[in-house]
Amino acid sequence: MGFATVYCDKCGAQILGAELEKGTAAARGDKYYCAECTLTLPPPAPGTQPGERKGSTKVRKPGESGRNTDIMRNLQTMGSGRGNTVRVQPVQQEEAGLGTGAKIGLTVVGLAVLALIGFIISSSGGGGKNAAGPGGGKPDTDRARAACESAEALRKSADARAFVEAAQKAKREAAGTEHVDRAAELVREAQAALEAQEKTEAVTADAKRLAADARAAEDPFTYEKAFRDMAARARRDAPALEAQINAWWNDIVQSALLKMLGKVDISWAETAAGFRRVKEALDDVIVKAAAAGPAGKSAGEQAAKKLKEAGEKFQAGADKALAELERKVEVLLADLRIEEAEKAVAAFMADYAGTPAASKAEPLRAKIAARKKEVENTAWIEPAATDWKVEGADGKFTFDGREIRFAHDGPAGPPPETDPDKTRRIILTKADANWKDYELEFEVYIEEHGGTLVVRGGGDNANAHLLNFMPANAQGQGLPKNQWFKLGTKAIGNKLLITVGTGAAQEFQTTSVSGTIMFVGYKGSKFRIRNVRIRRLR
């Protein structure tokens, strides 16, 4: 049968369930008394104990034990219990049909017997607080000393509850002996140990839950403050756990940092963009490892080592990229695509800024600048009226030294690429069949139908390239009418770069590597051309 732990309503000492079960402590109604205080209580009145039936008037049969006989039997057992404790059993009244007079007589007899019991107990020294022992008998010093020693042996026990029970027993055994103060101190010490143990158990449970949550979290570092607070709580309530809690946090930090390191692939560092990504990730590990103190030392060292390896891989990749850039710039300069070469070198310098590779690219910039200056110093030719010739009939061609006006009588014909009548054209004779690489710029103003620029024409123009400047159609393709628009073309080898307005150059492949330049107008065409200039590139 189990009992809850309660406290004496008289002296406040803790009463264990085992004491109530054994009968060394007593319960009176809703109040409880320890073994020592129980001895000072008067015997319970008839009919007040659990299980006792009040008002029984049953007449005893011959040979049956009467009330006085039960009391005497209890008196005879004095001194026979553990610690010489005397327990007076409640007298059970037999049910009988007694009358009122008989009941009164029994009551008087009962009171007399109770008086006799009190006299006997007080005569034996077991009635007051100064009783000789817990059982009312002579104090047993050896028993008290042994009980205290047993309690002291449990001082460092992992179970403070066992220490409390032993200390309470020592206190009972020490009553009336020279060990009473020693036992009282043990009780106080045991109670303090139990309180500390309960606090430790609470801190341990909460800390374990916190550690489990942090280990399962996507970013365990968000639990740093919670662990600092838990360590402070342990320092206050359970100092022995503070080191364990810090060790748990250190283990979580190490695992998290190593996990971050495992996600970094230094093979990415071969490229500029990849190296930036790797460096950013490793720098994050290094910063967090430094903040973690000793717990992050190992991970920080590994991250620093990886960062060094990534730097070496990046430098090797940079040297390879520089060699590729040098080859690319050579090709671009050979094609006089100077702007593209400038952009390629600028992008490389931005990607590898602050590295030896960027310094090695400086000569390329100088080489491009020199070639650009050389091309820019090439003289532009502005054709005169004598440089043009008109072929075909019914065409109207005028040139006032700055602007060419071209008109073809008749209704608008089919698109230039499908018109079989290609007799109306203007030929720029400065670009003869021997010209290879050249650059041409001009402005066009379309009034009707538009025309075509033939690049590298001559002969049957089978390999020529056509640049049509036609009015915009329903899909928006073409040039706007009645406004000046700048066009340009650059012919280098079998490549042709064409620009319209301020847009980017479009590249085309040609089969012809030399030939003349012609402006062609067809039926219904009416357009104007001005600011024509050309320069031979090589």
Side-chain angles (χ1 to χ4, degrees):
M1 176 176 180
F3 294 87
T5 300
V6 295
Y7 297 88
C8 180
D9 283 80
K10 191 168 185 180
C11 69
Q14 184 180 16
I15 302 173
L16 302 179
E19 295 180 273
L20 289 170
E21 188 173 16
K22 295 174 182 177
T24 56
R28 298 289 178 87
D30 59 351
K31 295 184 178 180
Y32 298 88
Y33 300 92
C34 66
E36 181 178 348
C37 292
T38 298
L39 298 176
T40 67
L41 299 176
T48 61
Q49 289 298 92
E52 184 177 351
R53 303 178 63 181
K54 297 182 179 180
S56 175
T57 57
K58 180 180 180 182
V59 177
R60 300 180 185 277
K61 298 177 181 179
E64 285 185 329
S65 176
R67 184 180 179 193
N68 294 342
T69 304
D70 291 338
I71 293 173
M72 293 308 295
R73 185 182 297 113
N74 286 332
L75 291 176
Q76 291 170 3
T77 62
M78 291 177 61
S80 63
R82 184 178 62 84
N84 297 325
T85 301
V86 177
R87 297 185 64 200
V88 179
Q89 302 295 333
V91 177
Q92 301 292 332
Q93 295 184 7
E94 299 292 336
E95 294 185 3
L98 295 179
T100 303
K103 293 180 181 178
I104 294 173
L106 288 175
T107 301
V108 172
V109 173
L111 291 175
V113 172
L114 289 175
L116 176 61
I117 294 171
F119 173 76
I120 294 173
I121 293 174
S122 61
S123 297
S124 65
K129 278 221 173 201
N130 297 322
K138 183 179 179 181
D140 190 333
T141 301
D142 292 339
R143 186 190 295 270
R145 183 177 59 256
C148 288
E149 290 174 352
S150 296
E152 287 170 344
L154 294 172
R155 269 195 175 113
K156 297 182 180 180
S157 171
D159 185 4
R161 293 176 181 83
F163 183 22
V164 169
E165 186 175 355
Q168 291 285 2
K169 179 180 178 182
K171 180 180 178 181
R172 292 192 301 273
E173 299 290 354
T177 71
E178 62 184 19
H179 298 287
V180 65
D181 292 338
R182 179 184 180 187
E185 177 61 28
L186 284 170
V187 170
R188 287 191 292 272
E189 186 178 342
Q191 291 287 358
L194 179 58
E195 181 180 354
Q197 178 175 308
E198 290 174 344
K199 288 182 177 180
T200 298
E201 290 171 348
V203 173
T204 299
D206 292 344
K208 285 182 177 180
R209 283 193 294 270
L210 178 62
D213 291 343
R215 289 190 178 96
E218 182 68 23
D219 183 6
F221 292 99
T222 58
Y223 285 80
E224 182 178 2
K225 183 179 183 304
F227 265 92
R228 286 203 305 268
D229 294 343
M230 184 61 69
R233 177 183 167 190
R235 190 160 49 250
R236 181 186 68 246
D237 295 342
L241 286 179
E242 183 180 4
Q244 179 63 62
I245 291 171
N246 289 330
W248 286 345
W249 174 241
N250 290 343
D251 180 65
I252 291 169
V253 167
Q254 289 178 358
S255 298
L257 291 172
L258 292 176
K259 185 177 180 180
M260 291 173 65
L261 277 175
K263 292 181 179 179
V264 180
D265 186 353
I266 62 173
S267 65
W268 301 338
E270 291 182 351
T271 65
F275 177 72
R276 285 194 296 269
R277 183 177 174 185
V278 169
K279 187 176 185 304
E280 181 180 347
L282 292 176
D283 284 343
D284 188 27
V285 174
I286 291 172
V287 169
K288 288 182 177 178
K297 181 179 178 182
S298 176
E301 291 174 348
Q302 292 184 53
K305 182 180 179 180
K306 267 197 168 185
L307 185 59
K308 181 180 178 182
E309 293 175 3
E312 294 171 352
K313 190 172 289 291
F314 171 67
Q315 185 57 55
D319 292 339
K320 181 179 178 180
L322 177 62
E324 294 176 355
L325 176 66
E326 290 172 341
R327 288 192 294 271
K328 181 176 181 179
V329 168
E330 287 294 332
V331 173
L332 292 174
L333 291 182
D335 292 343
L336 295 179
R337 299 162 69 174
I338 296 174
E339 291 184 2
E340 292 183 50
E342 287 178 326
K343 290 179 181 179
V345 173
F348 181 90
M349 298 285 282
D351 285 343
Y352 295 92
T355 69
S359 301
K360 294 177 181 179
E362 283 294 340
L364 287 177
R365 298 177 76 175
K367 185 174 184 178
I368 293 170
R371 186 68 178 109
K372 182 177 182 179
K373 184 176 181 180
E374 179 183 336
V375 172
E376 288 177 347
N377 289 337
T378 300
W380 286 92
I381 301 171
E382 296 184 0
T386 55
D387 295 325
W388 300 94
K389 71 176 181 177
V390 180
E391 297 180 1
D394 301 327
K396 294 180 180 179
F397 168 75
T398 61
F399 180 56
D400 59 7
R402 180 174 178 271
E403 182 178 308
I404 301 171
R405 292 176 178 268
F406 188 96
H408 190 294
D409 293 339
E417 61 269 23
T418 61
D419 189 353
D421 184 4
K422 304 184 183 301
T423 59
R424 297 292 179 261
R425 32 186 205 174
I426 307 171
I427 301 175
L428 181 61
T429 56
K430 285 291 185 183
D432 59 32
N434 296 321
W435 276 37
K436 295 182 180 296
D437 298 340
Y438 52 80
E439 185 175 5
L440 169 70
E441 291 180 354
F442 66 95
E443 293 178 74
V444 63
Y445 186 101
I446 301 174
E447 297 181 52
E448 294 294 338
H449 197 53
T452 300
L453 169 67
V454 180
V455 181
R456 287 185 172 153
D460 58 4
N461 298 323
N463 297 321
H465 188 88
L466 305 182
L467 171 59
N468 299 316
F469 43 89
M470 308 297 292
N473 56 24
Q475 288 74 37
Q477 299 170 341
L479 300 177
K481 293 171 61 175
N482 301 318
Q483 71 178 68
W484 288 102
F485 223 83
K486 186 175 182 179
L487 300 176
T489 181
K490 184 185 294 185
I492 303 173
N494 63 350
K495 295 176 183 178
L496 189 64
L497 299 176
I498 296 177
T499 57
V500 179
T502 57
Q506 300 182 52
E507 182 177 319
F508 300 91
Q509 295 290 324
T510 67
T511 57
S512 176
V513 295
S514 63
T516 60
I517 295 174
M518 296 181 290
F519 289 101
V520 181
Y522 304 97
K523 293 178 181 179
S525 294
K526 189 175 182 181
F527 57 86
R528 295 147 64 185
I529 297 173
R530 70 180 184 186
N531 296 332
V532 179
R533 62 177 188 165
I534 186 172
R535 61 178 173 178
R536 193 169 186 172
L537 299 177
R538 57 185 173 185

